[in-house]
Amino acid sequence: NPLQIYLYGDYAWGTPNEESSFDMLIVVESSDERVIKRGYPAFEALLGLKIPKNIIVLTQEEFDKYTRDQSSTTYEIKTRGKILYARA
C-alpha cells in the first residue's frame, strides 16, 4: 500500500539503453520487515519485465530522514526522480 512511487536512474533522467536497470523507490507508511526484504513483493510483481531492476522500499520516516541529507541518493531521487504514484 504505497504512499509514493518514484522512478529514478536512466529511465527517469537519462537515456535508457540495453544495460539500464528499472529503478524505483517506494515509500510506505511503516513496515516491520527489514529494508532488504521489503522489495521482494515488488520484484515478484515485475518478474515479467525482462530488464534488471532496483527497488528500494522505505518507510515515510526513513524517507524523510534520508532526504534531509542533500548528498544522499534518496535526496536526489526526491528532487530529480519522476513520481509515478502519490496517494492523495
Side-chain angles (χ1 to χ4, degrees), residues 48-80:
L49 227 63
K50 301 293 185 197
I51 61 172
K53 297 164 253 346
N54 291 314
I55 301 170
I56 302 168
V57 180
L58 298 176
T59 65
Q60 183 69 63
E61 182 179 334
E62 292 164 340
F63 182 75
D64 292 342
K65 175 184 170 186
Y66 300 146
T67 56
R68 286 193 289 271
D69 177 359
Q70 294 183 5
S71 67
S72 74
T73 301
T74 308
Y75 177 84
E76 184 176 23
I77 293 168
K78 182 180 179 180
T79 57
R80 293 187 59 214

Side-chain angles (χ1 to χ4, degrees), residues 28-43:
V28 297
E29 283 186 44
S30 62
S31 177
D32 293 330
E33 291 282 341
R34 293 184 9 209
V35 173
I36 193 76
K37 289 188 173 188
R38 292 182 201 158
Y40 290 174
F43 276 106

Side-chain angles (χ1 to χ4, degrees), residues 11-26:
Y11 282 91
W13 55 65
T15 305
N17 59 50
E18 63 279 350
E19 294 183 18
S20 297
S21 60
F22 186 74
D23 305 311
M24 289 184 4
L25 182 142
I26 301 169

